[in-house]
Amino acid sequence: MDNDRCSNSHLFTTKQLFALLLPLGLEQLLTIAIGMADTIMVSSYSESAVSAVSSVDLISYLFITLFSAFSTGGAVIVSQYIGRRDIKNASIAAKNLTAITVLISIAMTIIMIIAKDLIIGLVLGDIESSVIKDANLYYIPIALSYPFLALFDSTTAISRSEAKTKRIFLSSLLMNIINISGNYILIHLFSLGALGAGISSLISRIIGALLMLLLMMRKDEECSLRGIVRTKIELKHVKNITRIAIPSALDGALFQVGKLIVQAQIATLGTSSLAIHAIVCNFNGYCNIPQNAFILAVITLVGQSAGANRKDEERYWVRWSILWSIIITLLFAIPMYIFTPQVVSIYALNEATTLEAIPICRVCLIACTFLIPFAFIVPNALNANGDVKFTMAVSIISMWIFRVALVFFFIRVLKLGVSGVWYAMYSDWAFRGLIYTIRVSGSRWQNKYAIRE
């Protein structure tokens, strides 16, 4: 008997699960910590620089959503081939995924550069000339970084499919060290401002992407990208990947548009409400660290189980991911709940704003812990089995009815202020979580097929 296994019949051992999840969790923690340090560094240079960077980043999020959608589609297909032990097709699918995402990103970069003035004008509108100038400086290096970001996303998705997440964490660590060091040198020592932030991001993405590519090109790699330049793009793999990617991309793009609409409503509430919302977002991000790891890992767990035609395993790993995400998140959330007043006081808000923020942050911790697993882990499990159209439909309906429409109702009619924004968000999580749980409790989702020959 193998005592290292969760049970005799499960596809993944305890050691394999730990090796899959720990680097993913550390990567999420690293992203949040470095992101905060990055923002502080840019904002210390000038207000126009931080405004320009945040505005251009809004555009970037839409493209990152597209890259992530293709990476998710590729991860599902590669995971299922690995579950079938069809390593040949897994490797071909991995090469096709990488080639497609890089080619699309190159096309996007060209369009972005040609339409630079039009795009910046649409995003920034009639704003101070200093912000426009900084946005133009930051825009070009960020646009040039998209092919490398796409390459990094596709190679990390393939690595997650193989359950090899340690190298993803190490590559992310290196990228972020280069990024934050570059920001310090270029922004503060050379006084390049927004341009320095853009160049630093470009260099870090180039190095991270090339490092992951080199690791994926080793001869002993299960889904090796060796010979990718000579690889013929096969229509069946493209169809399989885009069948998952296109609904995910549409969902993600509409989600970002919805977030922008909600953000515009928050802006009407005043400066103190914006400050409270920013703090609650930080609490939400902190609470999401372990959950994001499970959201990513469940694609590998369920995808490989589906590829192995183990329907019992698919259900087991959905339940297992939900349970353990809640347990581990509680270890994060309980101390944060107890010390919420002390944490909020770090932001140095006035007394009235601080007192208003504390209960909102505490409710957020509770909602994140118990609603997000059902709202976001479960749909990724459904996606891993090819049930993408259902998850897309539920997500879009829930986003626009509950999050967007209810924000207007809670703010304009009930006058709930920033609390109303978060009540609308919790309603969105609860609704989609309920529908997804009903779906995963049945059997129809297991009759979908991500891979079609």
Side-chain angles (χ1 to χ4, degrees):
M1 181 181 293
D2 185 357
N3 292 325
D4 191 37
R5 290 192 177 275
C6 298
S7 90
N8 290 337
S9 61
H10 294 318
L11 293 176
F12 295 88
T13 66
T14 303
K15 182 178 179 180
Q16 288 171 330
L17 292 168
F18 189 78
L20 172 67
L21 285 160
L22 181 61
L24 290 174
L26 291 174
E27 183 193 1
Q28 298 301 313
L29 179 62
L30 177 72
T31 300
I32 290 173
I34 296 297
M36 291 174 65
D38 206 21
T39 302
I40 292 168
M41 207 170 290
V42 176
S43 62
S44 66
Y45 181 80
S46 72
E47 287 186 8
S48 65
V50 74
S51 298
V53 168
S54 61
S55 298
V56 174
D57 281 347
L58 285 176
I59 306 167
S60 293
Y61 293 146
L62 290 173
F63 292 103
I64 290 169
T65 297
L66 180 62
F67 302 151
S68 297
F70 273 91
S71 296
T72 299
V76 169
I77 302 305
V78 174
S79 293
Q80 291 209 10
Y81 275 128
I82 292 173
R84 293 181 178 188
R85 305 310 304 160
D86 185 353
I87 304 305
K88 179 182 177 182
N89 271 311
S91 183
I92 295 172
K95 290 175 182 176
N96 275 250
L97 165 66
T98 306
I100 292 167
T101 52
V102 171
L103 289 172
I104 290 173
S105 65
I106 290 171
M108 284 184 176
T109 296
I110 294 170
I111 294 169
M112 287 280 289
I113 292 174
I114 292 172
K116 176 175 70 70
D117 293 336
L118 175 62
I119 293 171
I120 290 177
L122 288 172
V123 173
L124 293 177
D126 186 17
I127 201 168
E128 297 174 23
S129 59
S130 59
V131 178
I132 297 288
K133 179 183 176 182
D134 283 333
N136 276 286
L137 292 172
Y138 181 68
Y139 184 99
I140 294 296
I142 290 300
L144 291 173
S145 75
Y146 288 153
F148 301 99
L149 182 60
L151 178 59
F152 183 79
D153 278 357
S154 59
T155 50
T156 53
I158 296 163
S159 289
R160 282 195 298 271
S161 300
E162 298 174 311
K164 296 177 181 177
T165 53
K166 182 179 178 180
R167 62 186 174 200
I168 300 175
F169 166 68
L170 294 175
S171 298
S172 295
L173 178 62
L174 176 63
M175 280 178 66
N176 282 295
I177 290 172
I178 293 169
N179 190 32
I180 201 166
S181 301
N183 278 343
Y184 178 77
I185 294 168
L186 297 174
I187 293 173
H188 291 281
L189 298 185
F190 288 90
S191 300
L192 292 180
L195 176 61
I199 293 171
S200 181
S201 294
L202 172 60
I203 293 170
S204 66
R205 288 172 179 178
I206 290 172
I207 293 173
L210 294 180
L211 175 60
M212 282 299 299
L213 181 62
L214 287 173
L215 291 172
M216 296 295 297
M217 291 179 72
R218 294 183 304 178
K219 287 183 178 180
D220 60 345
E221 183 65 28
E222 192 171 30
C223 293
S224 177
L225 296 180
R226 200 174 190 84
I228 186 171
V229 177
R230 300 187 304 274
T231 298
K232 180 182 177 182
I233 294 179
E234 296 188 16
L235 189 58
K236 75 168 184 177
H237 292 301
V238 173
K239 285 183 176 179
N240 286 333
I241 291 169
T242 53
R243 193 179 294 115
I244 306 292
I246 290 175
S248 298
L250 179 60
D251 178 19
L254 290 174
F255 184 81
Q256 291 299 328
V257 172
K259 283 178 67 175
L260 290 174
I261 294 171
V262 170
Q263 186 68 28
Q265 288 302 303
I266 298 168
T268 65
L269 297 173
T271 304
S272 63
S273 292
L274 280 169
I276 292 170
H277 181 68
I279 294 170
V280 183
C281 283
N282 286 340
F283 271 70
N284 181 35
Y286 173 81
C287 201
N288 281 350
I289 290 170
Q291 291 173 333
N292 284 339
F294 282 94
I295 289 169
L296 293 171
V298 78
I299 294 176
T300 301
L301 299 174
V302 174
Q304 289 199 22
S305 300
N309 199 27
R310 290 288 303 275
K311 295 185 184 298
D312 57 325
E313 284 287 275
E314 293 173 42
R315 291 182 174 277
Y316 174 81
W317 292 118
V318 175
R319 295 193 302 268
W320 184 91
S321 298
I322 292 170
L323 175 63
W324 280 102
S325 71
I326 291 173
I327 291 172
I328 296 173
T329 302
L330 282 171
L331 298 178
F332 280 68
I334 290 172
M336 199 72 164
Y337 187 94
I338 294 169
F339 294 106
T340 295
Q342 290 79 8
V343 175
V344 173
S345 67
I346 294 172
Y347 291 87
L349 304 173
N350 63 56
E351 184 179 356
T353 304
T354 299
L355 291 174
E356 185 181 353
I358 290 169
I360 300 174
C361 289
R362 282 179 161 165
V363 172
C364 178
L365 290 172
I366 295 169
C368 286
T369 302
F370 295 104
L371 294 179
I372 283 180
F374 298 95
F376 296 100
I377 292 176
V378 175
N380 257 16
L382 297 173
N383 289 341
N385 206 60
D387 199 13
V388 287
K389 290 182 181 178
F390 179 84
T391 58
M392 177 193 70
V394 172
S395 177
I396 292 172
I397 291 169
S398 182
M399 172 74 181
W400 289 90
I401 292 179
F402 289 92
R403 187 173 301 202
V404 176
L406 278 184
V407 161
F408 280 88
F409 179 73
F410 287 152
I411 290 178
R412 300 291 180 85
V413 179
L414 299 185
K415 308 295 183 183
L416 293 178
V418 72
S419 294
V421 174
W422 286 90
Y423 292 152
M425 203 173 298
Y426 306 148
S427 301
D428 173 31
W429 295 349
F431 175 79
R432 67 173 69 200
L434 174 63
I435 301 302
Y436 291 145
T437 302
I438 292 171
R439 180 72 165 186
V440 86
S441 299
S443 59
R444 290 185 63 183
W445 67 284
Q446 291 184 298
N447 296 325
K448 303 290 181 179
Y449 298 95
I451 297 175
R452 297 180 187 176
E453 302 298 345

